[in-house]
Amino acid sequence: MDFSTAADLRRRLEDTGYLGDDALATVAWLAHRLDRPLLLEGEPGTGKTALAEALAEAGGVPLIRLQCHEGIDASQALYDWDFPRQILHLRAVETVGAVGGATALEDVEASLFDERFLLARPVLRALREAPAVLLVDEIDRADDEFEAFLLEVLSTWQVSIPELGTIKAETPPLVVLTSNRTREVHDALKRRCLYHWLEHPSLERELAIVRTRAPEVPKELAEQVVRAVHAIRADAELIKPPGVAETLDWARALHELGTRELDTASVAATLGVAVKYREDGARVRASLDRLMAR
Ligand SMILES: Nc1ncnc2c1ncn2[C@@H]1O[C@H](COP(=O)(O)OP(=O)(O)OP(=O)(O)O)[C@@H](O)[C@H]1O
Ligand SMILES: [Mg+2]
């Protein structure tokens, strides 16, 4: 993974179909150069997860994903021992009738914590397989203890496994953390990271994204869909404004239905592709005439 400048990174992200702006390319490039994790926050569907995927693709390195959830703990992030296989191993040892005695017992016990029985989880894999991109997705769903654990790994780039010793990354992986801000990430972790807030893309960029990701949709229809989405997003009262994912889905859905021109009827019929709350749907329907006039 080698990006010579932020502009180079931006171009190579574009080659994978990810269209970011200069600010995003710069902060991602700095994270890569300074070996610092990148913390991305922003509304749903603004391309946080997709950036990590694009970085891995552009850099030609594996993407290793850790999906956070409530109650996630270090063993799910680091490693586990393969208990069923350890048991089978013990049975096998019994069957061949290993000779008794203290040394033999110690040998058998030691053989249980062999590399063969280690289940490497994403963080351990990232340390071993680096250069790689490690995506720690939706860190806000994990709890404080997990964050503290992560902070330690991200500061030292090493973990210690009592039975095996210390494992240190030769080159640190590029770490992308994402958060939807259901809770605030702690300052200690933030201090370690570079930070970027992802906005919904501008009209021009979103149109370019649709043209790249859904090239089958005719330009005129794509333009109308993007305009409609921007008009819908402008309503600050919405529970969940549509993200880029919804724009793409909507454009594809309308195209699938053979729609050439977005009109009141086609919007009303397909609104559920873009707007996923009953209250939001009602608000959009109520202002449909005004929306279409724009
Ligand atoms: N800048 C972009 N360039 C190209 N595609 C994009 C861009 N931003 C978003 N997308 C597309 O929009 C979709 C949603 O993006 P993504 O899943 O990364 O959003 P997210 O911010 O992770 O959302 P969530 O918070 O819901 O997880 C993806 O299909 C992605 O390919
Ligand atoms: Mg995501």
Side-chain angles (χ1 to χ4, degrees), residues 44-45 47-50 65 67 135 137-138 178 180:
K48 301 184 290 297
T49 303
R65 180 192 298 255
Q67 176 64 51
L135 166 62
D137 218 4
E138 307 186 347
T178 79
N180 279 336

Side-chain angles (χ1 to χ4, degrees), residues 205-225:
R205 192 142 50 82
E206 192 155 5
L207 180 59
I209 292 172
V210 176
R211 299 288 290 148
T212 310
R213 297 272 198 210
E216 69 279 13
V217 177
K219 185 153 180 266
E220 295 69 33
L221 181 61
E223 245 171 49
Q224 290 175 348
V225 170

